[in-house]
Amino acid sequence: MTYIQFIKKNIRFLSFGFLLMFFSSFGQTFFISLFNNEIREVFKLTHGQYGLIYSIATFISASVIIWLGKFIDNIDLRNFVLIISFGLVFGIAILCSSNSVIFLCIAIFLLRLFGQGLMPHAAMTSMTRYYSYDRGKAISISSLGLPLGEIALPTISIFLISAFGWKFTWVSALILISISIMPIRYILLKNHEIRHHKWEKENNFLQQEEKAKAIKSFTRTEVLLDKKFYLIIFSILSPAYIMTGLFFHQIHLFETKGWTLNLLAGAFALYAIITVSSSIIIGKLIDLYGSKKLVIIHLIPLGLGLLILSQFTNSLAAILYLSLAGITVGMANSLLSSLWAEIYGTIHIGSIKSLVTACMVFVSALSPFMFGWGIDFGINIENIILICAIYTVISSLNLFLLFRKT
């Protein structure tokens, strides 16, 4: 089935996943970091102090995701989406009205929990669960919502911040999400119980088939006891760690390099376009070859981009870095959701995905703090980036050793 045929047949459910990924932008570091200077000025925080607050809030949200994320296996998807949407709206409302560091921490916690964590978790778990034969296509199409946010939101936000202020920009986001919640719940997920019942029937059949073939579907506890899981996690979460740290401190990075905010907005748009293209291409390849073979090479472009960024100050370096990073991120968006299903099965995919999402949030909690304190203590940003490049090389070698025989 071609992409066009697949989209026509599944337009509503794919739109649901697409919109959840788009709205997750408001909890992602690339968006929140656009307000770093204003937030640090209002609350009188250094790079390291704000990075610490951001990391602690993100770290706590990751702990909560492990518990909350598993409920997608038990709660009606439509109600799960309502809960996480209202949670994100509440977080934005607190941020806009906060006048103390304590409320800032609470707001960031809610943005990271419901925006960065549970919205992508709901979207990707749903695509992974309800599509068996076109899983790669479903994941790649729905994941395009996030690159759309990366294309549109920086330019729009920079304009709104300069024209109306940072709080007005966040209020605009709040209104957009609020007016979209009910159409998502009652139109895009209409008759979802039919889809779920069909999946349950297919799942029962697969369980019987797996028993006959002695194929095992892992529970989350069994995944935690699998040593290979930790080796995989160390490597595949390197983009989340690196890109979160660089996106969080991107204003400082661009100021250090002597680059303008207009270059930042333009480079981000290119980054998002390449992410989209990479995601579409890899979705088809996953359906043809599987994730295990492709995951081995997906970190190479990011490593090259980081090496360029660490060595050059020409504005072309920013474009090359974000372009190459976009290739890796686009591949990762699709690969990492399907990889777990290939390794551990789909019966307990919701609880397994919540574990992986929590791990992703954990590592993304570390880098803003670590990068921020490094900057405060005078460590050159180029040296930080070079260390990140070395991390991608080690991760690529590890993935090669794990999956070279597949």
Side-chain angles (χ1 to χ4, degrees):
M1 188 184 298
T2 67
Y3 266 106
I4 300 299
Q5 293 170 329
F6 182 68
I7 292 171
K8 286 181 179 179
K9 185 178 179 181
N10 301 275
I11 184 65
R12 282 196 303 171
F13 198 58
L14 293 174
S15 297
F16 149 74
F18 180 91
L19 286 176
L20 248 62
M21 292 302 294
F22 176 79
F23 289 136
S24 78
S25 298
F26 300 115
Q28 300 286 352
T29 299
F30 85 86
F31 184 78
I32 298 173
S33 66
L34 296 172
F35 305 85
N36 278 7
N37 286 346
E38 288 77 11
I39 291 174
R40 288 195 301 104
E41 183 178 343
V42 168
F43 294 97
K44 297 178 174 58
L45 300 169
T46 67
H47 289 285
Q49 290 169 339
Y50 183 40
L52 179 61
I53 290 171
Y54 193 84
S55 293
I56 290 173
T58 303
F59 187 83
I60 296 172
S61 74
S63 304
V64 177
I65 286 170
I66 295 176
W67 173 69
L68 277 182
K70 66 181 181 181
F71 285 107
I72 198 172
D73 288 336
N74 310 112
I75 298 176
D76 188 302
L77 180 61
R78 293 164 292 192
N79 296 330
F80 191 82
V81 169
L82 279 181
I83 293 168
I84 62 178
S85 298
F86 283 122
L88 181 58
V89 166
F90 188 50
I92 295 174
I94 292 176
L95 180 62
C96 293
S97 58
S98 63
N99 52 15
S100 72
V101 172
I102 293 175
F103 283 104
L104 174 64
C105 291
I106 294 172
I108 293 175
F109 162 73
L110 293 173
L111 291 175
R112 301 294 277 165
L113 173 63
F114 293 106
Q116 185 214 17
L118 290 175
M119 278 199 166
H121 172 62
M124 294 296 100
T125 298
S126 299
M127 298 303 119
T128 302
R129 170 174 287 152
Y130 296 112
Y131 294 102
S132 298
Y133 302 107
D134 293 293
R135 182 178 293 142
K137 293 188 187 73
I139 292 171
S140 64
I141 292 167
S142 59
S143 67
L144 298 183
L146 182 56
L148 176 64
E150 291 167 337
I151 291 172
L153 292 177
T155 302
I156 295 171
S157 299
I158 289 170
F159 168 76
L160 290 177
I161 292 168
S162 61
F164 303 104
W166 70 277
K167 287 190 176 182
F168 176 88
T169 307
W170 276 108
V171 170
S172 301
L174 184 151
I175 294 171
L176 177 62
I177 298 169
S178 298
I179 63 177
S180 303
I181 293 173
M182 293 307 169
I184 291 174
R185 165 65 175 80
Y186 291 102
I187 298 176
L188 298 184
L189 291 177
K190 185 180 179 181
N191 299 324
H192 175 68
E193 67 276 4
I194 298 173
R195 179 185 299 106
H196 188 73
H197 180 63
K198 180 183 176 183
W199 171 77
E200 286 181 324
K201 289 177 65 177
E202 291 177 352
N203 200 43
N204 290 333
F205 173 76
L206 286 174
Q207 282 184 280
Q208 297 301 319
E209 192 177 54
E210 286 176 356
K211 286 180 181 179
K213 295 181 179 179
I215 299 173
K216 182 174 180 58
S217 279
F218 286 65
T219 64
R220 185 163 71 179
T221 301
E222 290 170 329
V223 170
L224 286 169
L225 294 173
D226 182 18
K227 294 179 181 179
K228 186 168 70 173
F229 171 75
Y230 299 96
L231 294 173
I232 298 170
I233 279 290
F234 169 81
S235 297
I236 66 171
L237 294 185
S238 55
Y241 173 82
I242 294 167
M243 298 309 294
T244 299
L246 292 178
F247 283 172
F248 186 80
H249 295 288
Q250 62 188 354
I251 302 298
H252 171 74
L253 170 62
F254 271 62
E255 288 176 349
T256 301
K257 294 284 190 178
W259 299 334
T260 66
L261 290 181
N262 288 333
L263 175 62
L264 171 62
F268 243 107
L270 180 61
Y271 161 82
I273 291 169
I274 292 175
T275 300
V276 168
S277 304
S278 175
S279 182
I280 291 172
I281 294 169
I282 203 67
K284 182 68 173 178
L285 294 176
I286 288 171
D287 292 337
L288 291 173
Y289 303 109
S291 300
K292 294 178 185 178
K293 293 179 181 179
L294 298 169
V295 76
I296 294 172
I297 61 171
H298 85 289
L299 294 176
I300 296 173
L302 176 59
L304 291 174
L306 292 171
L307 184 61
I308 292 170
L309 184 63
S310 68
Q311 300 299 314
F312 300 99
T313 57
N314 189 287
S315 58
L316 182 61
I319 296 171
L320 289 174
Y321 145 65
L322 282 172
S323 298
L324 290 165
I327 295 173
T328 289
V329 172
M331 294 175 72
N333 287 343
S334 300
L335 279 172
L336 303 190
S337 292
S338 60
L339 180 66
W340 304 115
E342 290 184 19
I343 297 173
Y344 298 120
T346 61
I347 295 174
H348 306 287
I349 192 63
S351 59
I352 294 171
K353 278 283 294 165
S354 70
L355 172 65
V356 174
T357 300
C359 291
M360 180 197 70
V361 178
F362 272 128
V363 300
S364 67
L366 293 174
S367 52
F369 163 68
M370 294 176 70
F371 287 24
W373 280 106
I375 293 168
D376 284 352
F377 281 101
I379 298 177
N380 194 309
I381 188 67
E382 282 84 0
N383 290 333
I384 294 174
I385 294 167
L386 189 58
I387 292 170
C388 290
I390 294 170
Y391 179 19
T392 63
V393 173
I394 295 171
S395 297
S396 293
L397 290 173
N398 183 44
L399 290 172
F400 172 75
L401 293 174
L402 286 169
F403 296 116
R404 68 186 186 279
K405 294 181 180 179
T406 57

